[in-house]
Amino acid sequence: MTMHVRDFRETDRPALTALWEACGLTRPWNDPNDDIDRAVSAREATILVGYRGDQLIGSVMAGHDGHRGWVYYLALDPAHQGRGAGRELMEEAGLWLTSRGAPKLELMVRDGNDRAAKFYESIGFERQQVTVYGKWLKAPSESSARKAS
Ligand SMILES: CC(C)(COP(=O)(O)OP(=O)(O)OC[C@H]1O[C@@H](n2cnc3c(N)ncnc32)[C@H](O)[C@@H]1OP(=O)(O)O)[C@@H](O)C(=O)NCCC(=O)NCCS
């Protein structure tokens, strides 16, 4: 069965957060619901979801920061991995970003996620010679802090 890709709708939320949990993408300091809220309320961001039949099996979040296009939360239900759907979602994210003028797509892979690194390399991404720095501008939300404790 082919995958149907469309923009996130509010009714996708429970299945989407469950998918991110199942794929090991959630972290105590990032409330996935806050991440969804920010993406859907930003003009230059989207969450694309992939369905096979009535099952949400994949997702990708894309955003244009005015310089580069970025991708987060690429996830495929483990039962549906290895069948080309991850590649397809990345192509859809690339089309979305291209249509908004982004000349380059960048993404971050957590240390140790060798599987994802190999996947990205096999679909044409090259490791960049940069180190990513981060600093919180706002304390992680109370709900996230509670989950972390
Ligand atoms: C990473 C992930 C999205 C890949 O999705 P997928 O649907 O399984 O990947 P695809 O089937 O589209 O694979 C596309 C290509 O990547 C290759 N590939 C995928 N995983 C690979 C691996 N571990 N090693 C080498 N190549 C790999 C495939 O062989 C395929 O190449 P081909 O088309 O030449 O045969 C999926 O494994 C996933 O959801 N992982 C958990 C969440 C995660 O880590 N997300 C990334 C966060 S940065």
Side-chain angles (χ1 to χ4, degrees):
M1 192 188 292
T2 55
M3 179 174 65
H4 170 61
V5 180
R6 62 160 172 76
D7 289 318
F8 169 84
R9 293 178 197 148
E10 197 47 50
T11 49
D12 299 321
R13 187 180 288 258
L16 183 61
T17 54
L19 172 73
W20 291 352
E21 284 281 347
C23 287
L25 295 183
T26 55
R27 289 295 183 272
W29 54 88
N30 276 351
D31 184 329
N33 283 298
D34 290 349
D35 289 353
I36 292 171
D37 291 343
R38 272 192 299 275
V40 297
S41 63
R43 208 164 46 89
E44 291 295 325
T46 192
I47 302 172
L48 303 175
V49 291
Y51 271 82
R52 277 204 178 118
D54 60 3
Q55 189 189 351
L56 191 157
I57 63 153
S59 75
V60 62
M61 181 188 286
H64 184 1
D65 65 10
H67 180 55
R68 298 292 190 223
W70 287 86
V71 156
Y72 301 90
Y73 283 116
L74 176 70
L76 252 297
D77 182 313
H80 295 264
Q81 292 178 10
R83 295 194 230 162
R87 176 198 288 276
E88 196 180 330
L89 282 169
M90 286 301 293
E91 284 169 358
E92 292 285 348
L95 288 172
W96 190 93
L97 289 164
T98 302
S99 74
R100 278 150 185 87
K104 186 177 181 188
L105 199 173
E106 297 188 325
L107 54 89
M108 292 176 274
V109 177
R110 289 193 178 110
D111 285 348
N113 195 351
D114 299 340
R115 210 169 154 217
K118 288 196 171 96
F119 160 78
Y120 289 121
E121 281 166 22
S122 85
I123 64 165
F125 284 76
E126 290 172 353
R127 193 179 171 133
Q128 308 289 292
Q129 300 302 310
V130 295
T131 301
V132 176
Y133 286 82
K135 177 182 175 183
W136 292 103
L137 300 175
K138 187 179 161 218
S141 72
E142 271 186 35
S143 64
S144 303
R146 264 201 306 277
K147 281 180 219 147
S149 62

